[in-house]
């Protein structure tokens, strides 16, 4: 074999070995890095999905709570059961609810403007007091307090 062919064969084998080593090293590095990227991406997508699910759960609970309040309010308006009325007032009309919602007054008015329940939060001692006796004059049909003209 001539020196030319031996040199060419040695160069060819050397290049092939170097290419194989480069392939093996780069493949392992790329595989490891792509697994890390895939893992991070999956965790981020899972966090986003959990956030959406939790928000939807909160929205559904708030909606159910709102409907329950309205159902109980209709029952309060039509009920003659004083025990139910007492439970309703304790659950939905207490001082803690007013403090939580940042309101000072709770009034339930029927369709004629008659006050079915009314109480004012006394912030000094954290208790509820009856609304003033003449408060009903502000709640007559057509009253801007009862039916504001600005929408909801």
């Amino acid at each position: 074999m001539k020196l030319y062919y031996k040199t060419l064969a040695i160069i060819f084998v050397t290049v092939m070995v170097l290419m194989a080593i480069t392939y093996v090293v780069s493949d392992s590095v790329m595989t490891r890095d792509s697994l890390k990227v895939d893992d991070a991406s999956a965790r981020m997508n899972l966090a986003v999905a959990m956030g959406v699910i939790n928000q939807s759960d909160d929205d559904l609970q708030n909606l159910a709570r709102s409907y329950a309040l309205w159902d109980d309010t209709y029952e309060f308006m039509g009920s003659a059961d004083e025990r139910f009325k007492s439970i309703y007032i304790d659950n939905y009309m207490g001082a803690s609810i007013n403090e939580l919602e940042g309101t000072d007054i709770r009034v339930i008015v029927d369709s004629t403007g008659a006050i079915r329940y009314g109480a004012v939060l006394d912030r000094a001692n954290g208790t509820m007091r009856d609304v003033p006796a003449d408060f009903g004059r502000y709640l007559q049909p057509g009253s801007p307090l009862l039916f504001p003209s600005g929408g909801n």
Side-chain angles (χ1 to χ4, degrees), residues 54-128:
N54 289 338
Q55 183 61 46
S56 296
D57 182 48
D58 291 345
D59 292 345
L60 184 60
Q61 285 182 16
N62 288 337
L63 183 65
R65 197 174 300 119
S66 176
Y67 275 106
L69 173 61
W70 280 108
D71 286 348
D72 288 350
T73 302
Y74 283 119
E75 172 117 9
F76 173 82
M77 294 297 283
S79 178
D81 182 5
E82 291 302 319
R83 184 173 181 274
F84 173 78
K85 288 183 176 185
S86 174
I87 292 170
Y88 175 85
I89 290 170
D90 290 343
N91 287 338
Y92 298 119
M93 299 292 167
S96 62
I97 301 295
N98 283 34
E99 289 175 6
L100 179 67
E101 293 181 354
T103 58
D104 289 333
I105 189 168
R106 293 223 175 234
V107 179
I108 297 179
V109 181
D110 65 16
S111 59
T112 66
I115 297 175
R116 299 291 300 267
Y117 171 82
V120 177
L121 174 63
D122 183 353
R123 290 197 178 266
N125 59 18
T127 59
M128 299 298 286

Side-chain angles (χ1 to χ4, degrees), residues 20-79:
I21 291 171
T22 303
Y23 172 76
V24 169
V25 170
S26 65
D27 183 54
S28 68
V29 168
M30 293 296 283
T31 302
R32 186 180 64 235
D33 288 348
S34 66
L35 288 175
K36 285 181 184 177
V37 168
D38 286 347
D39 185 56
S41 177
R43 288 180 188 277
M44 185 178 69
N45 289 339
L46 181 62
V48 169
M50 290 301 294
V52 169
I53 290 170
N54 289 338
Q55 183 61 46
S56 296
D57 182 48
D58 291 345
D59 292 345
L60 184 60
Q61 285 182 16
N62 288 337
L63 183 65
R65 197 174 300 119
S66 176
Y67 275 106
L69 173 61
W70 280 108
D71 286 348
D72 288 350
T73 302
Y74 283 119
E75 172 117 9
F76 173 82
M77 294 297 283
S79 178

